[in-house]
Amino acid sequence: MSISRRKFIQNSACISATGAIACSQNPVPAAVDLGEPSTNMRPLFIATWPFGKFSCEAAVKIATDSGSMLDAIEKGIWVTENDVKNASVGIGGIPNADGQVELDACIMSGPDHNAGSVAGIRDILHPISVARLVMESTPHVMLVGDGAKQFAIKNGHPETNLLTDQQKSNWQNWQRKQAKMLQQSQPKIDEDHHDTIAMLGLDSDGNLYGGCSTSGWGYKIPGRVGDSPIIGSGLYVDNQVGAAGATGLGENVMRHCGSFLVVEMMRQGAAPTEACEMAVNRIAEIDPKNLDNLDINFIALNKAGAYGAAGTSKGFKYSVSSPQGSEIIDAKAMSVKAIGPEGGNRK
Ligand code: ASP
């Protein structure tokens, strides 16, 4: 059921009276309308995790200087993809079980509802740029594996070794441990080593954009693809309503079209944080077998500039930047056990 435009504005918008970035859920001042968004916090970018702050800050600068939100999303995400110390995105990412770094990324442009994506791409430093190329220069939305890599090389992306010495040595240690666990027929996937940058942006005309990039689940089975490059799972942008992105255990997001679900909750009138909570609750209800290890987190930004986040991973935080400054914010921490037996939702 959709709600009236007025109720949507009351429920979801937030423009800080002081221009500070901290608020995300206050009612919008009467003067602010979806048709006339305030520009004092534009361009506005939010991203998963504290490391997303550097990407958001770069994105604000690029969008301000060049006016291109897509350049801002792409090159902002480059900052994280370039960081060799970040073990979950780009170079320095944890490899798969065979010791190969396989990357996933996608990008969306709200005004033309366009999207591009690559999955399981090896030896290419900037999968987000290849995703943008897929979006802008092909009739397709998604390329995978070697096809994606050859497409990138043909379009000028050099082959790059993404496995750092540190990650190679970690992988060798992991392999030694695996060899000892003879009873296991499948490699044990390292649940503690996965993070992703999902970034959402809003310009002064109220247009929304997003991007997502990850090396995925550490020591995954080769060929495994998570939620991050799947449009509607790791990222979704609807220029009429808002945008959402995910981080966490992709398998628990992609069976539920998680980011699409968050955006649809906003469409029905939920504020961004509330929409993220509703999506987590819905997933927990449908998926009770995974309740104890759900490990899913969402960020959301609506067309009026309100933003928020919620998730089940301990200490999940997100970053926000605009020309007014930057901030790292604690996401609403959800205990899915609380919506288990006591909440009556666990089946
Ligand atoms: N969602 C990513 C994946 O499953 C990893 C993460 O965000 O932690 O590949």
Side-chain angles (χ1 to χ4, degrees), residues 22-193:
C23 91
S24 66
Q25 296 295 310
N26 297 342
V28 70
V32 179
D33 195 351
L34 286 180
E36 305 163 69
S38 163
T39 53
N40 68 341
M41 284 178 64
R42 308 290 188 276
L44 171 66
F45 292 89
I46 75 170
T48 49
W49 304 109
F51 62 68
K53 175 171 170 280
F54 303 108
S55 284
C56 285
E57 286 174 346
V60 169
K61 184 165 179 355
I62 293 162
T64 307
D65 292 352
S66 74
S68 167
M69 289 293 283
L70 280 171
D71 283 354
I73 293 280
E74 177 191 358
K75 304 278 167 47
I77 286 177
W78 274 23
V79 173
T80 306
E81 289 180 339
N82 278 332
D83 181 358
V84 287
K85 293 207 181 95
N86 186 312
S88 55
V89 180
I91 191 165
I94 302 176
N96 65 19
D98 288 348
Q100 286 153 332
V101 180
E102 282 184 341
L103 303 177
D104 299 334
C106 72
I107 193 163
M108 280 194 84
S109 166
D112 50 353
H113 200 74
N114 211 353
S117 165
V118 289
I121 188 169
R122 296 179 184 173
D123 308 318
I124 300 294
L125 182 57
H126 291 304
I128 190 70
S129 299
V130 188
R132 183 174 175 187
L133 259 178
V134 173
M135 175 173 81
E136 291 182 336
S137 71
T138 81
H140 308 308
V141 170
M142 187 171 196
L143 297 181
V144 303
D146 197 50
K149 175 176 165 178
Q150 295 313 323
F151 171 78
I153 290 169
K154 270 189 203 131
N155 283 282
H157 287 259
E159 261 190 277
T160 306
N161 174 26
L162 304 176
L163 186 65
T164 56
D165 290 344
Q166 181 63 57
Q167 288 301 352
K168 190 172 179 184
S169 136
N170 293 349
W171 169 69
Q172 285 164 341
N173 288 338
W174 176 83
Q175 269 196 317
R176 278 191 280 275
K177 278 188 213 149
Q178 293 300 303
K180 283 187 196 150
M181 300 167 91
L182 293 172
Q183 74 279 18
Q184 281 192 242
S185 57
Q186 294 284 339
K188 183 179 182 309
I189 294 173
D190 188 339
E191 295 171 17
D192 296 330
H193 292 99

Side-chain angles (χ1 to χ4, degrees), residues 205-221:
D205 296 325
N207 290 316
L208 290 151
Y209 302 81
C212 191
S213 184
T214 192
S215 54
W217 195 331
Y219 312 127
K220 60 195 172 188
I221 295 173

Side-chain angles (χ1 to χ4, degrees), residues 305-343:
Y307 50 83
T312 67
S313 300
K314 239 188 191 166
F316 174 52
K317 296 175 196 289
Y318 68 109
S319 304
V320 181
S321 295
S322 80
Q324 306 292 314
S326 295
E327 196 175 0
I328 293 170
I329 301 175
D330 288 322
K332 175 96 186 257
M334 297 180 68
S335 163
V336 284
K337 287 205 168 97
I339 59 161
E342 302 82 352

Side-chain angles (χ1 to χ4, degrees), residues 49 88 104 193-197 214-217 220 224-229 246-251 253-254 295:
W49 304 109
S88 55
D104 299 334
H193 292 99
H194 58 88
D195 283 337
T196 290
I197 180 155
T214 192
S215 54
W217 195 331
K220 60 195 172 188
R224 177 265 187 188
V225 172
D227 59 320
S228 305
T247 180
L249 206 51
E251 280 69 3
V253 173
M254 63 201 294
D295 197 4

